Amino acid sequence: MATQANPGAAELIAATGVEVLTDDDTLNFYAHDVYERGADLLAVVRPKNKEELSAAVAATTAQNIPVIPRGGGMSYTGGYTTKQPGAVLFDLAAMNRVLDINETDMTVTVEAGCTWASLYETLQPKGLRTPFWGTLSGLKASIGGGMSQNCLFWGTGRYGTAAQSCISMEVVLADGTILKTGSEFTRHYGPDLTGLFLADTGALGMKATITMPLIPEAKAHGYASFSFETYEDTLTALAAIERSGTSTECFGFDPNLNAIRMRRDSLASDAKALGNMMKKQGSVWGAIKEGAKVVTAGRNFMDEAKFSLHVLTEGRIQAAADDDLASARKMALAHGATETENTIPKIVRANPFGPLNSMLGAGGQRWAPIHGMLPHSKAVACYEAIEALFDKHRAEMDEVEMFTGTLISSVGGSGVIIEPCLYWPDASNPVHKDSMEDAHFAKLPKLDANPAAWAMAQKMKKALVDLFYEQGAAHLQIGRTYRYRDSLSPAADALLQDLKKSVDPKGLMNPGSLGL
């Protein structure tokens, strides 16, 4: 049970003018992330701008109380769930404005709580977007959270991760100081101070504002899907496509995840999503045709027993998008692919920030993804090691009805993400209910708490984290999960600790995150 252990402290924070919440239901909700519950919180603070954020952080840390930043709440790696009770969590969702769109210098500045979906919709009428333009959870996931955790999906195949689409930031340090990094139009002017605060999981400071570059939105698109017999062929084809620079997104599923997707999605929502996309492009007849294709293809267009790969291309004109697609197709077919209906990439692109209903399995099961980023030269060996790990623990997993599915995705200039996902029968938590569509959540089976399955989830998650460390993987969303500091040289680790002491001498900024 969340408790207000120090009401006097909360009152001092509230005296700055910021909204402070201390009721039990609120404290309990914010103590959870997608994966687990952290320690009890003292209070939740909801600043409306950087000035309120600065004043409230200063008032909190002056009392030696830890401060925890929370963006859209989509973390499943302990990004904002501390083990230390009595912290104050800063919910930045009310700092959600697009502050400036500079069409001359091609930059956009937002407050940290602005969601990827909100920014994308704001820029659409101007025919603009950012190079990396959001995660699949972008309906909830915030840009400040994306820069703190680093993230991928939309634009990642060509432009890399979120951190690669950042010019500068304003960051609130532990004493309330507002630090401006970089310049207003270019990131690289002297040492990269912006980079110091990117992917820090909030351990060095709270993002207040973020400036990103703008590019013209693509006017033409291409889509293709392929099936493969083996993960070796799938990963080799993905590597060839990523190296060629032809795709803006390239991702795939193992047979287990194919089966999960096919059983979870609905034809009606697929047809509606495609119809909406075509209507936005001014083609009612195109909407009818694309919707009909989905219904005709049904749920049998992808062989669930095979691996899949989906490619999206874009360009200023259709000929350019088609040419990139033809190149990607040639590479996929050269590595043993069979081309299939391109329904999945069309559906995903038609509704880029869809409802977050995949947060639980089709039977109400809990879900936890664990990922690693690897160079293409190491991807096949790592995937093989993951399969061996699952085979080793198959009997234990079967005993608690745990199953898995694996996602792969290209990262422009950095190789591939391999993300095995665990599913197990267990009770949902408040973040699931808050994030998913009410109607969808209501129809899912309500499962009881399952201590044995939860213990197995913890065991397998740790085993995967250790496996990725042994394989030399890098990570996004480091939080309190991945072994970042273990991967550093002694000199690099000492520099990191010195930096932490400089910006947060009392260790009160998201303690434990990033391993600090």
Side-chain angles (χ1 to χ4, degrees):
M1 174 62 68
T3 57
Q4 185 184 345
N6 191 347
E11 291 168 2
L12 287 172
I13 299 167
T16 66
V18 75
E19 180 183 10
V20 179
L21 306 174
T22 58
D23 62 282
D24 283 349
D25 288 345
T26 296
L27 297 182
N28 181 58
F29 171 77
Y30 281 100
H32 289 83
D33 72 358
V34 177
Y35 181 64
E36 64 182 343
R37 190 188 192 283
D40 288 349
L41 298 168
L42 166 65
V44 172
V45 173
R46 288 176 54 85
K48 296 187 292 294
N49 52 55
K50 66 183 180 184
E51 291 79 14
E52 285 194 1
L53 173 61
S54 170
V57 167
T60 307
T61 58
Q63 302 175 74
N64 292 316
I65 299 170
V67 292
I68 312 291
R70 182 187 191 269
M74 296 295 96
S75 172
Y76 40 78
T77 57
Y80 61 86
T81 50
T82 176
K83 302 298 183 185
Q84 183 176 340
V88 172
L89 184 141
F90 282 69
D91 174 16
L92 304 183
M95 292 176 55
N96 59 7
R97 295 176 296 168
V98 177
L99 298 172
D100 179 64
I101 301 172
N102 187 328
E103 296 182 64
T104 300
D105 297 335
M106 292 293 277
T107 62
V108 60
T109 300
V110 302
E111 290 181 314
C114 180
T115 66
W116 293 104
S118 178
L119 176 61
Y120 185 72
E121 290 298 321
T122 300
L123 294 173
Q124 277 292 285
K126 298 179 179 294
L128 299 171
R129 72 159 205 249
T130 53
F132 173 90
W133 53 280
T135 65
L136 288 174
S137 59
L139 197 63
K140 285 266 190 179
S142 71
I143 296 168
M147 295 305 170
S148 291
Q149 296 276 52
N150 209 1
C151 53
L152 57 79
F153 198 76
W154 291 117
T156 291
R158 179 168 293 169
Y159 301 105
T161 65
Q164 291 168 259
S165 287
C166 183
I167 295 173
S168 62
M169 297 184 291
E170 288 180 296
V171 180
V172 174
L173 303 182
D175 65 355
T177 298
I178 300 177
L179 171 70
K180 178 74 165 67
T181 75
S183 76
E184 294 179 353
F185 65 97
T186 183
R187 178 165 156 184
H188 300 289
Y189 179 41
D192 185 11
L193 298 183
T194 298
L196 291 177
F197 294 92
L198 290 168
D200 72 333
T201 67
L204 302 179
M206 295 194 196
K207 315 303 180 284
T209 69
I210 299 100
T211 299
M212 293 173 285
L214 292 172
I215 61 174
E217 172 64 295
K219 292 180 170 60
H221 302 272
Y223 310 92
S225 293
F226 307 93
S227 66
F228 294 82
E229 297 292 336
T230 69
Y231 61 81
E232 294 94 337
D233 287 342
T234 312
L235 289 166
T236 304
L238 178 145
I241 293 168
E242 188 275 317
R243 286 191 296 265
S244 72
T246 53
S247 69
T248 50
E249 296 85 26
C250 181
F251 62 95
F253 311 123
D254 78 338
N256 293 339
L257 209 52
N258 276 331
I260 292 167
R261 286 192 61 87
M262 295 303 101
R263 292 163 190 165
R264 181 179 63 214
D265 295 336
S266 86
L267 289 174
S269 64
D270 291 351
K272 181 179 178 182
L274 285 170
N276 288 341
M277 178 181 74
M278 298 305 295
K279 287 175 184 176
K280 286 181 181 178
Q281 296 175 355
S283 173
V284 176
W285 175 237
I288 295 171
K289 289 195 295 183
E290 291 294 347
K293 283 182 183 179
V294 175
V295 175
T296 301
R299 286 282 136 198
N300 299 314
F301 60 84
M302 180 64 67
D303 186 342
E304 294 179 6
K306 297 185 178 181
F307 295 82
S308 66
L309 193 66
H310 310 283
V311 178
L312 292 85
T313 66
E314 62 182 34
R316 183 175 56 83
I317 60 174
Q318 194 59 51
D322 290 344
D323 185 67
D324 278 346
L325 193 66
S327 296
R329 178 182 290 112
K330 183 177 180 180
M331 286 178 273
L333 295 176
H335 290 95
T338 299
E339 190 159 7
T340 62
E341 281 288 337
N342 59 6
T343 307
I344 286 178
K346 282 184 176 178
I347 291 168
V348 175
R349 185 61 177 81
N351 193 18
F353 303 113
L356 307 178
N357 295 334
S358 60
M359 200 173 278
L360 294 175
Q365 297 94 344
R366 289 288 303 275
W367 160 81
I370 305 95
H371 75 272
M373 185 190 300
L374 298 119
H376 296 302
S377 60
K378 296 183 178 180
V380 171
C382 182
Y383 199 104
E384 183 177 320
I386 293 168
E387 291 292 286
L389 177 69
F390 288 155
D391 288 342
K392 177 182 176 181
H393 295 282
R394 188 70 59 194
E396 296 173 87
M397 294 165 65
D398 288 346
E399 187 175 348
V400 296
E401 300 180 35
M402 175 179 286
F403 57 94
T404 66
T406 300
L407 164 76
I408 61 171
S409 182
S410 68
V411 184
S414 298
V416 60
I417 287 281
I418 302 177
E419 184 173 78
C421 301
L422 305 176
Y423 295 84
W424 70 97
D426 206 346
S428 62
N429 77 34
V431 174
H432 300 124
K433 186 178 188 302
D434 179 73
S435 303
M436 300 169 69
E437 289 182 306
D438 291 340
H440 183 87
F441 185 82
K443 71 182 181 183
L444 289 177
K446 300 303 179 284
L447 306 181
D448 294 329
N450 189 332
W454 172 246
M456 190 63 193
Q458 296 277 68
K459 177 179 178 178
M460 291 305 299
K461 182 174 182 177
K462 183 180 185 306
L464 286 164
V465 167
D466 290 343
L467 182 152
F468 278 123
Y469 172 74
E470 292 160 4
Q471 293 288 324
H475 298 281
L476 317 175
Q477 292 203 35
I478 297 168
R480 293 170 172 79
T481 295
Y482 295 108
R483 297 173 59 180
Y484 171 64
R485 288 185 60 195
D486 288 345
S487 70
L488 299 178
S489 70
D493 187 53
L495 179 60
L496 176 67
Q497 292 184 69
D498 286 345
L499 177 62
K500 173 71 170 177
K501 290 174 185 175
S502 177
V503 297
D504 180 20
K506 294 190 286 186
L508 296 174
M509 180 63 70
N510 208 6
S513 188
L514 209 63
L516 294 167

